[in-house]
Amino acid sequence: MTENSLRRLWKEDKAALGAWLSIPDSFSAEVMARAGYDWLCIDMQHGLVDYQRAVPMLQAISTTRTAPVVRVPWNDPAIIMKVLDAGAQAVIVPLINTRADTELAVSACRYPPRGIRSYGPTRAGLGGGYFERAEESVCCIPMIETASALENLDDILSVPGVDAIYVGPMDLSLSLGLEPKPDREGDAVYSEALGHILEACRRHGVAAGIHAGSRMAAKRVADGFRFVLVSSDVDLLARNAAQELRAAREAASSPVRD
């Protein structure tokens, strides 16, 4: 069973830098994994990925040392258990609002007596030793992205088995009555919410994560976030495709000098 590098980095108080995978393709996942990210998250919530596509993507990521993460579509024990059995080392669970929500997510990630996870690591168990190391390898990561989650933050973070949280800036902004933007740097209400989350995570010994992007990643690490998104497959493809085309058109329209 491959070591989950996320736990090692967090134990050393180092930031794990990762990327989002929304394209349902194993080859693009492999390309991203070979770029050297600490983690890659297969997005089954808003990405175009279903379970059948997620499995070969997990296989592709496992050819590298990058930690395979899955954001499940909902706080549903059935799909949480299934992606863990397929080889996910961490599960991001969206729209967690209460302690009860958190306990349900954690229990799906842990075998009895700590949880309700059914034993059957069909792919994850290849190579042996999975059960003995599952407790130390699998990470449960609730998303903090609503005003209700902020109000219940201490209850959420105090649930045994929560390894990290992940801030969704868009939904958090909406929940605070703000326009959804990936970065609200300078907005007092949003900045206060992030500060509250960071302080609570420090108190409870839980790693704080956030959707950041390359422009804000360094600042978020300096703020104290230790699970930071740098880029995504869709953004990299769209942005670089546009840049390459623009450069080619500018070059083609320039006068040729003898």
Side-chain angles (χ1 to χ4, degrees):
M1 183 177 179
T2 306
E3 176 202 19
N4 187 337
S5 59
L6 294 176
R7 287 190 182 275
R8 173 176 50 79
L9 289 169
W10 296 337
K11 186 175 182 180
E12 297 170 357
D13 194 30
K14 294 179 180 177
L17 303 180
W20 221 243
L21 303 181
S22 296
I23 299 172
D25 185 79
S26 60
F27 180 59
S28 62
E30 183 180 15
V31 170
M32 292 287 285
R34 291 188 181 278
Y37 291 100
D38 296 314
W39 57 274
L40 288 174
C41 179
I42 299 170
D43 186 10
M44 295 179 68
Q45 184 190 18
H46 293 301
L48 308 180
V49 187
D50 62 14
Y51 177 76
Q52 295 300 327
R53 295 296 188 96
V55 173
M57 293 171 73
L58 287 166
Q59 291 173 309
I61 296 168
S62 70
T63 64
T64 71
R65 298 183 65 83
T66 299
V69 181
V70 173
R71 177 165 73 169
V72 292
W74 194 247
N75 188 11
D76 179 355
I79 190 60
I80 292 173
M81 295 182 203
K82 204 162 178 63
V83 298
L84 289 174
D85 288 344
Q89 290 186 325
V91 180
I92 297 176
V93 186
L95 294 168
I96 295 295
N97 292 306
T98 65
R99 182 180 183 88
D101 290 343
T102 312
E103 289 172 340
L104 179 64
V106 169
S107 69
C109 294
R110 312 296 177 198
Y111 290 120
R114 291 191 63 192
I116 62 169
R117 183 181 173 190
S118 175
Y119 186 79
T122 306
R123 178 175 175 272
L126 293 176
Y130 183 81
F131 180 75
E132 292 76 14
R133 296 186 60 188
E135 201 65 33
E136 68 186 50
S137 180
V138 170
C139 293
C140 181
I141 307 174
M143 288 196 75
I144 303 299
E145 49 187 345
T146 67
S148 295
L150 288 176
E151 292 174 6
N152 297 316
L153 194 54
D154 280 314
D155 280 346
I156 290 170
L157 294 175
S158 64
V159 173
V162 171
D163 301 290
I165 58 89
Y166 194 79
V167 176
M170 301 290 203
D171 281 320
L172 182 59
S173 295
L174 284 171
S175 187
L176 294 173
L178 305 170
E179 182 183 351
K181 292 182 179 179
D183 169 34
R184 303 202 63 91
E185 187 64 17
D187 186 294
V189 174
Y190 182 76
S191 296
E192 182 181 351
L194 290 190
H196 175 56
I197 291 169
L198 281 167
E199 192 278 327
C201 284
R202 292 189 192 102
R203 258 189 297 112
H204 289 276
V206 171
I210 192 168
H211 241 60
S214 57
R215 191 178 71 84
M216 287 297 297
K219 183 180 187 310
R220 293 309 182 206
V221 171
D223 289 340
F225 287 95
R226 292 295 177 261
F227 184 58
V228 179
L229 177 118
V230 175
S231 55
S232 72
D233 52 4
V234 172
D235 179 65
L236 289 170
L237 178 60
R239 179 158 40 86
N240 285 285
Q243 288 175 352
E244 291 288 313
L245 179 58
R246 182 167 56 251
R249 281 181 169 156
E250 289 174 354
S253 63
S254 299
V256 179
R257 298 182 179 179
D258 294 331

